């Protein structure tokens, strides 16, 4: 057990060091993969067996990586077709900078709830909002924090959320009961998050002075046409019809290519270059740093991280390290149950670099202890929905946050203090669990009193009354 824990700690330190120094995260993951491989060999697993484990992990990674390919394709296609420029053109006129951060949070939450995908929402709405923030010289870290808070508020409670569906499968709970639960547990933190971003918006003191300038620049570079909204309409309709998100993204991208060809007069070769390498304008354009990004190749770094993390997860799952960590513990309080579930989610998300891995591993590690505490699967799902679905976005190298910030074009970790929804929902969950603990203690006291014979109840009351009288006399003296 000690070597496994040592490798977990070493992996955490390596990934944290890569984040601080600015090195690619997959450097640390390669070292971690080699350490887990050596440990698997020491546990008498052959090279062939380890190879099969990693292949199994890569099969899981292929599904996730394909989503990243479609995200890179979609975001670039929406820019070149004029969809993002159209949204920015009217967005800077509608969304006033004095309420921008709060509006960004609400808009992302709404779209993510409707379509049920955090990554898709970043590609659809986040890129546009970030362009508006940059055009008005706003704090891009606060803006990205508002966007990330919004997408995870909406995605976590969406009936079409794949993470919520996975949660139901792992905790053996009904899907729409989970939807209701996720929304209820997020109401108070969501309102507080909105008010916090509203306060940050008011305190920023920004004015829409740049609106006229940027609209002129956009209309000079792109054809502003309502037809550019077609790609949005396609993806919204398909998502509402519960079509696979990858198919919906691809269909929207195809429509965007047609719009780019006929409306924006883009050539076939130019379109292919944009899809692969992302969209960019000449250095002389005033929109160079405002409207840019996307592209399949820009998601390569993220894809490598997913592949390596899934390979590591494959080894951990097959070798059985998880079973080693599941010891016997006494009955915990409600708060301690949640905190230990949060630790399990933190370790899973930090080493696995994937939100899905945290959602899978946390119930597997903690379900037995909720059963011992006499709690239902719905209580387990409630804790996991906060711990495993929220904690990953507070780990800079986790895909859950790395993909959004990569899509938004934000570097560094300056956005971390501003993912307010994540902090508030964790604090709120601890508060609620603490309240439940106190309520349970009161119920135990009432139950004990009811079980006591009448003479013992009178005797206990007389003793308490006498002790109170003595305390009053001591105070007077």
């Amino acid at each position: 057990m000690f070597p496994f824990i040592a490798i977990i700690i070493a992996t955490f330190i390596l990934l944290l060091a890569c984040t601080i120094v600015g090195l690619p995260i997959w450097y640390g993951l390669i070292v971690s993969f080699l350490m887990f491989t050596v440990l698997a060999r020491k546990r008498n697993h052959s090279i062939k067996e380890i190879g099969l484990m990693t292949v199994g992990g890569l099969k899981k990674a292929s599904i996730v990586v394909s989503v990243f390919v479609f995200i890179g394709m979609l975001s670039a296609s929406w820019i070149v077709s004029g969809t993002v420029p159209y949204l920015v053109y009217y967005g800077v006129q509608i969304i006033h900078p004095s309420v921008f951060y709060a509006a960004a949070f609400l808009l992302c939450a709404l779209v993510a709830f409707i379509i049920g995908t955090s990554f898709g929402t970043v590609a659809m709405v986040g890129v546009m909002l970030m362009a508006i923030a940059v055009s008005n010289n706003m704090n891009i870290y606060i803006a990205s924090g508002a966007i990330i808070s919004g997408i995870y508020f909406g995605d976590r409670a969406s009936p079409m959320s794949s993470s919520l569906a996975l949660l139901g499968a792992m905790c053996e709970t009904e899907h729409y009961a989970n939807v209701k639960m996720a929304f209820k547990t997020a109401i108070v933190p969501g309102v507080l998050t909105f008010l916090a971003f509203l306060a940050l918006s008011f305190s920023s003191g920004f004015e829409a002075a740049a609106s006229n300038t940027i609209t002129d620049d956009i209309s000079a570079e792109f054809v502003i046409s309502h037809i550019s909204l077609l790609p949005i309409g396609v993806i919204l309709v398909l998502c509402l019809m519960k079509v696979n998100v990858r198919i919906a993204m691809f269909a929207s991208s195809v429509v965007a290519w047609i719009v780019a060809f006929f409306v924006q007069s883009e050539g076939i070769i130019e379109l292919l270059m944009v899809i692969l390498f992302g969209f960019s304008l000449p250095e002389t354009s005033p929109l160079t740093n405002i409207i840019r990004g996307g592209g399949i190749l820009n998601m390569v770094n993220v894809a490598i991280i997913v592949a390596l993390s899934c390979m590591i997860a494959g080894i951990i799952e097959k070798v059985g390290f998880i079973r080693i960590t599941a010891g016997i513990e006494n009955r915990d309080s409600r708060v301690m149950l949640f905190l230990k579930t949060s630790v399990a989610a933190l370790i899973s998300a930090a080493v696995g670099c994937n939100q899905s891995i945290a959602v899978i591993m946390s119930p597997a590690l903690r379900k037995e202890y909720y059963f011992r505490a006499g709690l239902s699967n719905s209580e387990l799902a409630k804790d996991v929905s906060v711990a495993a679905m929220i904690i990953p976005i507070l780990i800079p190298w986790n895909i859950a946050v790395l993909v959004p910030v990569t899509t938004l074009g934000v570097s560094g970790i300056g956005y971390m203090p501003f993912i307010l929804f994540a902090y508030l929902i964790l604090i709120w969950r601890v508060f609620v669990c603490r309240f439940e603990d106190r309520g349970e203690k009161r119920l135990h006291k009432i139950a004990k009193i009811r079980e006591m014979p009448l003479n013992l109840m009178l005797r206990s009351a007389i003793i308490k009354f006498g002790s109170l009288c003595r305390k009053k006399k001591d105070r007077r003296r």
Side-chain angles (χ1 to χ4, degrees):
M1 182 174 175
F2 176 76
F4 173 73
I5 295 174
I7 292 175
I8 291 289
I9 294 171
T11 300
F12 187 87
I13 293 170
L14 280 169
L15 297 175
L16 184 62
C18 288
T19 303
I20 294 171
V21 176
L23 290 172
I25 300 299
W26 49 269
Y27 284 10
L29 284 173
I30 288 175
V31 177
S32 176
F33 172 73
L34 292 174
M35 289 190 291
F36 276 112
T37 301
V38 171
L39 187 56
R41 284 286 295 134
K42 286 187 176 181
R43 293 189 180 278
N44 300 320
H45 289 276
S46 66
I47 296 295
K48 183 180 179 180
E49 288 174 335
I50 296 171
L52 291 173
M53 295 175 196
T54 57
V55 169
L58 282 173
K59 285 180 180 178
K60 295 178 182 178
S62 63
I63 300 171
V64 183
V65 170
S66 66
V67 173
F68 298 154
V69 170
F70 287 113
I71 288 173
M73 182 191 302
L74 181 72
S75 53
S77 301
W78 277 25
I79 296 174
V80 74
S81 66
T83 303
V84 171
Y86 177 96
L87 294 173
V88 176
Y89 182 87
Y90 288 104
V92 294
Q93 300 175 58
I94 297 170
I95 304 175
H96 198 277
S98 62
V99 294
F100 176 80
Y101 300 133
F105 169 74
L106 277 181
L107 184 59
C108 287
L110 178 63
V111 174
F113 181 80
I114 292 172
I115 68 174
T117 165
S118 53
F119 295 165
T121 304
V122 169
M124 286 173 60
V125 183
V127 175
M128 175 271 290
L129 290 169
M130 187 57 69
I132 294 174
V134 173
S135 68
N136 283 282
N137 296 316
M138 294 180 181
N139 188 315
I140 61 169
Y141 296 123
I142 300 179
S144 57
I147 292 166
I148 294 168
S149 294
I151 63 175
Y152 281 106
F153 175 89
D155 178 57
R156 182 178 168 274
S158 173
M160 289 181 286
S161 171
S162 58
S163 298
L164 207 57
L166 181 62
L167 175 76
M170 295 306 300
C171 297
E172 298 178 9
T173 49
E174 201 271 324
H175 179 66
Y176 284 98
N178 287 339
V179 171
K180 188 176 179 181
M181 171 274 296
F183 191 75
K184 279 186 175 180
T185 54
I187 289 176
V188 173
V191 171
L192 293 175
T193 303
F194 172 76
L195 293 175
F197 281 122
L198 193 62
L200 286 170
S201 300
F202 288 153
S203 63
S204 63
F206 287 112
E207 296 181 0
S211 295
N212 292 333
T213 304
I214 191 172
T215 51
D216 292 340
D217 293 335
I218 290 174
S219 59
E221 294 282 354
F222 300 91
V223 176
I224 305 302
S225 170
H226 298 316
I227 298 174
S228 298
L229 291 177
L230 281 175
I232 297 179
V234 169
I235 197 170
L236 283 176
V237 169
L238 292 177
C239 285
L240 289 172
M241 291 172 63
K242 298 184 179 181
V243 174
N244 184 287
V245 68
R246 288 172 292 177
I247 297 173
M249 286 183 180
F250 180 72
S252 179
S253 297
V254 171
V255 173
W257 302 339
I258 296 169
V259 173
F261 183 79
F262 288 103
V263 177
Q264 303 297 336
S265 301
E266 292 286 343
I268 301 296
I269 302 299
E270 289 81 358
L271 275 174
L272 290 173
M273 295 293 286
V274 167
I275 293 165
L276 284 174
F277 299 101
F279 183 87
S280 62
L281 289 167
E283 293 289 334
T284 54
S285 173
L287 299 174
T288 299
N289 296 319
I290 298 175
I291 298 178
R292 60 185 175 84
I296 294 172
L297 294 181
N298 286 331
M299 304 302 289
V300 168
N301 185 50
V302 178
I304 293 173
I305 292 171
V306 171
L308 285 168
S309 65
C310 286
M311 287 163 65
I312 292 170
I315 294 175
I316 292 174
E317 182 183 356
K318 295 297 182 182
V319 173
F321 295 128
I322 294 175
R323 291 191 292 274
I324 298 171
T325 62
I328 298 173
E329 61 183 31
N330 296 324
R331 187 179 183 279
D332 288 320
S333 67
R334 193 68 187 82
V335 173
M336 285 307 299
L337 276 172
F338 172 68
L339 291 177
K340 288 183 178 181
T341 300
S342 298
V343 171
L346 175 65
I347 294 171
S348 304
V351 176
C353 301
N354 195 307
Q355 186 190 54
S356 298
I357 291 174
V359 174
I360 291 169
M361 290 181 66
S362 298
L365 289 169
R366 300 293 302 159
K367 188 173 183 178
E368 179 184 353
Y369 305 124
Y370 283 77
F371 176 76
R372 290 179 187 176
L375 296 173
S376 63
N377 287 346
S378 61
E379 290 298 312
L380 172 65
K382 197 179 292 183
D383 285 357
V384 173
S385 74
V386 176
M389 294 175 72
I390 296 299
I391 287 176
I393 68 178
L394 297 175
I395 301 172
W397 57 83
N398 194 285
I399 300 304
V401 71
L402 190 60
V403 171
V405 296
T406 301
T407 305
L408 295 173
V410 178
S411 58
I413 55 174
Y415 61 89
M416 287 295 295
F418 302 107
I419 309 178
L420 302 182
F421 176 68
Y423 301 117
L424 289 170
I425 195 171
L426 287 168
I427 293 169
W428 178 248
R429 188 67 200 140
V430 171
F431 174 80
V432 170
C433 288
R434 180 64 177 163
F435 182 78
E436 289 176 1
D437 276 337
R438 289 181 178 178
E440 190 178 350
K441 286 178 182 177
R442 288 195 192 99
L443 289 174
H444 281 305
K445 285 182 180 179
I446 293 169
K448 284 181 180 179
I449 290 171
R450 286 178 177 174
E451 290 172 3
M452 288 172 66
L454 183 61
N455 61 336
L456 288 177
M457 288 175 64
L458 290 172
R459 186 178 177 184
S460 177
I462 291 166
I463 291 169
K464 286 183 179 179
F465 180 74
S467 64
L468 287 172
C469 291
R470 283 194 297 272
K471 286 180 181 178
K472 285 183 178 179
K473 286 182 181 180
D474 291 338
R475 287 175 186 171
R476 288 174 185 174
R477 291 175 183 174

